[in-house]
Amino acid sequence: MQESPASLKPPTEKQDVSTPAPADGVYAEVAVPVHVFQTFTYRIPSSLQHLAQLGARIVVPLGRRQVTGYIVALHTASTLDPNRVDSAVKEVYEILDSIPVLTPELLDVTRWVSDYYAAPWGEVIKAALPPGISPSIEQFVSLTELGHARVGNQEDATTTHPLLNLISTEQEPSVEALSKSLGRSQALKAIRELERAGLLERTHRASTIYVRAKRQRAVRLTNRSDAGSRFANKKLTPAQQRIINALVQSQSMTLQELLSVADAGASTVNTLKRRGLIEFFEQNLRRDPLGGQSLPATENYELTPEQTGVLTEIEERLRKQTYAAFLLHGVTGSGKTEVYIRAMRVALQLGRSALMLVPEIALTPVFSRRLRAHFGDRVAIFHSALSRGERFDEWTRVRNGKARVVIGTRSAVFAPVENLGLVVVDEEHESSYRQQDSPQYNGRDTAIVRAQRAGAVVVLGSATPSLESFHNALTGKYSYLSLSNRIANRPMASARLIDMREVFDEQKKPQVFSKELLRAIEETAEKGEQSIVLLNRRGYSSFVLCRSCGETVQCPNCDVTLTYHRSERVIVCHYCNHRVAAPTQCPSCEGKYIYYIGEGTEQIEELLKERFTALRIARIDRDTVSRRRKFEQILQEFSEGRLDILVGTQMVAKGHDYPNVTLVGVVSVDAGLALPDFRAAERTFQLITQVAGRAGRGELAGQVLIQTYHPGHYALRHASAQNYQGFYDEEIRHRQNLVYPPFVSLATLLVRGPELSRVRADALTLRKELDQANTERLSRVLGPAPAPLARLKGEHRYQLLIKSRSRKQLRAIVDRAIRAAVESGINARSLNLEIDPVSVM
């Protein structure tokens, strides 16, 4: 086995990815889903060469284990780089697919993601496939002949290792099972010793437990072509006749469905089977994410002149079947979704497919039902809250062409859609399109690249576009489309800032709610209208404080305080999920005066229920999203008017359309403004503008009340005035003066590890290498400095920031510096490179 040169940047040269004719000396280049930045070369035995295709899953040896990888290129001995093959090249064990799981287009897109974001190609491919689709490789142990002899030797029984006796009583136990019985370190140590002594051997096998199609028993007529005449002269009981009639009308039915429809028993079906009139067979059972949920009624809306103009421009480019990028800047309630749906219909009429990305799981039920109402079973749904079986079935429907409209969160950008014609990225400004764990990528930018490769039209939609996207529109990189008015010329909700400093002066202590907001909630409920209350902080209280010694309860793994969740009586770290029971005394001084400081959505919900006992109140945040059915039920109840107030985090701020909502209250936005991030003002402006857009979307006027201790901040002033252009003009000047995107390309280098001194030393070494690589001084390097979260998940963190007006130059400098740092002894796994970070936290 030979590796390509190790580098954080995958090779960019054009590779021969054609499928060679089966012959001796065929080699597969394989990407493996582990954190390595190279591909591996393996020899394909002649018995498997007929299955060797690009994008197929493949089982290969990697070190002492076997892994499931993906074929990314095929070569013959004559076309293969001699440096990549020698006598040590290992053979492929197994090829799992006769039809590859990855299309050539997805291979191309995942390669771009790997190259651009410096992410391992195998990890990107794994992220592009539904979880659980590839079997894991398990190790099993068995006795050798010498091992059997040792166990069977009664005279030597006292010296026989206990593990040998345990293995002899079981049929090839797995290493995992032995680890659970004996402890992992002890079991692995014993296995290695006995293996060296020649008493046992390890084998590898693909596990049988991974996601597959679900099967069900179904019934059909044995011959449908002459169904009318076949049963004319048959003597059938009434129950038998009902079964035959049901099957004549339907191609096939599940057994349970047939018995219900025909009002018959299983014995009647068995009798017809014995007579050869019907037969049983197995068919795939679709695990539908919507699970029979009711769909909204579809209406043929008459488009406004603005909508018609926007749709005409998109349709013209769709018919040309070439790449085009649009920024659709539409105020909240202007009808962007209707434009998306009509554009999708055009794409389908042209024989092409459509893909729609939404930023939050919270939005998928709403949009999914609406798209299903328009396009029926041609719609597939992708997001992480689905079960593995549901995701596998949806992925399969897209892969085989049964579903041609896909909606989902960022990972849906990798859906195996054929002949892609339209890509919609709704709420394109949202930072949740950025994957924070490896492989790191931006779903929005990947969608743009995928549209380019497919010759498709991409529409980036938002009421508050990111500064980068709006800048791209102004400079001509994107075509700019505008929807500046709400449907039916409904007015925007009136917004007002409530100065909580004045509330404090009046009440002489901090208040969660101003009298003005409480009065507005009461008046809204009296009119039979609904309210939304936003606080972008979940949990009950922000931190726990001891009044005796002043200590706060910190996470042992991270530099953050633990958040109190009253419903579970625990304090939790929202970064590493460390959780312990809520204390009854101070962990430091054992004092009994424990105070819970700061508000979260859980406390807001409780306070409102205490104040408004007659109102129906529910909460939506990440805690409720984890219970998917409960979360969808809350949204449905609020939509149907069975709830009066909806409390939530940013999940309630975008995409939802509730005509009866006339009041939005924002409890606090000041924490967001205080974050040490150059995008803090932009995010705050977007959040306020988006949540304000939930009010007054129907016939009734809406109002927005924003509580803040900083009413003079420009982000809040422009948000309350719903003035995007004013905010952009002011914010873009700050970005230009401070040299931040969109005027430069940005990258962060994070050094992390358990020892602070080593992390600091490695960060200084990395800074030295960056300076040496930056010979022409075309980039600016800042740091190293402790990251804003200086300790996270048990690791200390130092950060460097690199700015450059040349993206190519920035990448060359960073790659050269990392390579030199690794050669000097720094562990590559302790470094994290993030290209185009959406946050410098």
Side-chain angles (χ1 to χ4, degrees), residues 54-55 100-109 399 415-418 450:
L54 294 180
V101 293
L102 286 160
T103 64
E105 180 199 0
L106 281 179
L107 267 181
D108 187 34
V109 171
R399 184 71 178 88
V417 185
E418 293 283 0
R450 186 165 184 192

Side-chain angles (χ1 to χ4, degrees), residues 2-178:
Q2 286 289 117
E3 304 174 3
S4 61
S7 168
L8 275 177
K9 184 179 179 182
T12 56
E13 67 270 18
K14 187 69 174 178
Q15 297 182 2
D16 175 16
V17 293
S18 59
T19 303
D24 290 334
V26 177
Y27 298 86
E29 188 177 337
V30 178
V32 293
V34 295
H35 202 76
V36 293
F37 293 88
Q38 64 257 20
T39 55
F40 300 90
T41 300
Y42 298 88
R43 182 181 294 109
I44 302 176
S46 57
S47 60
L48 294 177
Q49 287 177 12
H50 67 288
L51 289 174
Q53 301 176 76
L54 294 180
R57 294 169 299 166
I58 186 171
V59 180
V60 294
L62 186 69
R64 294 173 56 86
R65 59 191 177 121
Q66 293 180 13
V67 297
T68 302
Y70 314 96
I71 299 177
V72 297
L74 290 165
H75 308 280
T76 61
S78 60
T79 61
L80 188 65
D81 182 350
N83 295 323
R84 293 193 62 119
V85 58
D86 58 27
S87 58
V89 169
K90 297 181 180 180
E91 280 199 344
V92 170
Y93 284 134
E94 187 179 356
I95 296 178
L96 299 175
D97 301 309
S98 57
I99 300 176
V101 293
L102 286 160
T103 64
E105 180 199 0
L106 281 179
L107 267 181
D108 187 34
V109 171
T110 55
R111 182 179 177 80
W112 177 86
V113 170
S114 173
D115 186 23
Y116 186 87
Y117 293 105
W121 197 359
E123 288 190 353
V124 177
I125 292 175
K126 183 178 180 181
L129 297 172
I133 190 175
S134 294
S136 59
I137 308 299
E138 293 187 64
Q139 292 186 59
F140 297 85
V141 293
S142 59
L143 299 181
T144 61
E145 290 186 15
L146 183 60
H148 281 292
R150 174 69 64 86
V151 172
N153 187 349
Q154 297 297 322
E155 296 178 3
D156 201 25
T158 57
T159 63
T160 301
H161 195 290
L163 186 62
L164 290 181
N165 291 322
L166 180 61
I167 294 173
S168 68
T169 61
E170 298 189 33
Q171 197 73 11
E172 290 194 2
S174 69
V175 171
E176 189 66 28
L178 294 174

Side-chain angles (χ1 to χ4, degrees), residues 495-512:
R496 269 185 304 117
L497 298 174
I498 298 174
D499 191 341
M500 295 302 287
R501 296 172 301 181
E502 296 177 359
V503 174
F504 181 87
D505 290 341
E506 181 184 337
Q507 300 293 321
K508 306 305 179 186
K509 62 179 181 178
Q511 299 292 319
V512 177

Side-chain angles (χ1 to χ4, degrees), residues 164-217:
L164 290 181
N165 291 322
L166 180 61
I167 294 173
S168 68
T169 61
E170 298 189 33
Q171 197 73 11
E172 290 194 2
S174 69
V175 171
E176 189 66 28
L178 294 174
S179 297
K180 289 180 180 178
S181 300
L182 304 176
R184 187 165 185 82
S185 59
Q186 182 181 348
L188 292 176
K189 181 180 178 182
I191 289 170
R192 283 194 295 269
E193 291 175 355
L194 296 171
E195 195 174 24
R196 281 196 295 268
L199 299 174
L200 61 78
E201 60 184 0
R202 294 192 233 195
T203 57
H204 298 77
R205 290 200 298 271
S207 67
T208 57
I209 304 174
Y210 59 99
V211 181
R212 301 182 182 185
K214 189 174 183 179
R215 308 283 287 175
Q216 65 179 353
R217 202 177 193 194

Side-chain angles (χ1 to χ4, degrees), residues 509-540:
K509 62 179 181 178
Q511 299 292 319
V512 177
F513 302 110
S514 63
K515 290 181 179 179
E516 194 172 356
L517 178 57
L518 291 174
R519 187 165 55 250
I521 291 173
E522 187 173 10
E523 291 173 354
T524 299
E526 287 174 354
K527 292 185 288 186
E529 297 162 10
Q530 294 170 295
S531 303
I532 290 177
V533 177
L534 169 76
L535 173 62
N536 201 25
R537 189 166 54 237
R538 63 191 176 105
Y540 188 87

